[in-house]
Amino acid sequence: MGRAVREEAGRSLEARGGHSLRLMSALGHLAREPGLSYSELGRRAGVTAQSMQATVLQLERAGAVARSSPAGRGRTAVLRVTEHGRHMLAEMRQTLAELEEPLLAGLSTEERAVLAKALGQVAANLRTAAGPSGNLRTSSETDRQ
């Protein structure tokens, strides 16, 4: 189910502005915590710092992110979300909100709350099971240790 929703979200973002979940994720993290490094952004997105550099470059070219430090090997980039980037992020969030509504159709407010709580617990379990490495261990792997 998660994969299907993620794929539909990606298609919706692409159709409504040529965006992606990766761009939205990087933009959202930077909006909440300006100054994150490429490495930290990459860790949060589950990609390498080099891959995140390409993502941030796309955001820079779109005018969504501005660098306030000179580019260069070994230099920490200081990145901030521009006003245009905040507008882009709001549009992306609206796109996902519109996608969410038909998925939750027929669920009462209480059922939506229960679902949100259950999914929150699953996400917390995933973070715990993945541990610091970020790699999920299966129960048979855990049993062998």
Side-chain angles (χ1 to χ4, degrees):
M1 184 64 177
R3 183 179 304 127
V5 170
R6 187 175 54 250
E7 288 171 0
E8 186 57 35
R11 281 191 292 274
S12 294
L13 288 169
E14 177 66 32
R16 301 240 338 242
H19 305 304
S20 68
L21 286 171
R22 184 177 291 181
L23 289 176
M24 184 178 178
S25 173
L27 202 51
H29 285 300
L30 282 172
R32 280 187 302 281
E33 297 180 61
L36 290 174
S37 68
Y38 290 122
S39 296
E40 183 58 33
L41 281 169
R43 269 192 294 281
R44 292 174 185 209
V47 300
T48 65
Q50 293 80 4
S51 179
M52 186 51 66
Q53 285 175 329
T55 299
V56 171
L57 184 58
Q58 280 183 272
L59 290 168
E60 282 185 274
R61 288 180 178 154
V65 170
R67 180 192 312 265
S68 58
S69 62
R73 188 180 177 104
R75 294 188 180 166
T76 301
V78 178
L79 305 167
R80 65 175 179 77
V81 176
T82 65
E83 191 60 37
H84 177 67
R86 291 188 190 288
H87 180 71
M88 278 177 57
L89 185 58
E91 286 178 350
M92 291 181 210
R93 288 178 173 154
Q94 180 61 38
T95 297
L96 295 188
E98 289 169 9
L99 175 64
E100 184 179 90
E101 205 44 50
L103 295 176
L104 299 176
L107 295 178
S108 68
T109 302
E110 294 79 22
E111 290 168 326
R112 289 177 184 214
V114 168
L115 178 61
K117 183 176 180 181
L119 290 174
Q121 184 61 55
V122 170
N125 293 346
L126 178 62
R127 286 189 298 274
T128 300
S133 70
N135 297 322
L136 182 62
R137 293 184 311 211
T138 64
S139 57
S140 60
E141 289 174 325
T142 305
D143 292 343
R144 286 190 297 248
Q145 293 181 349

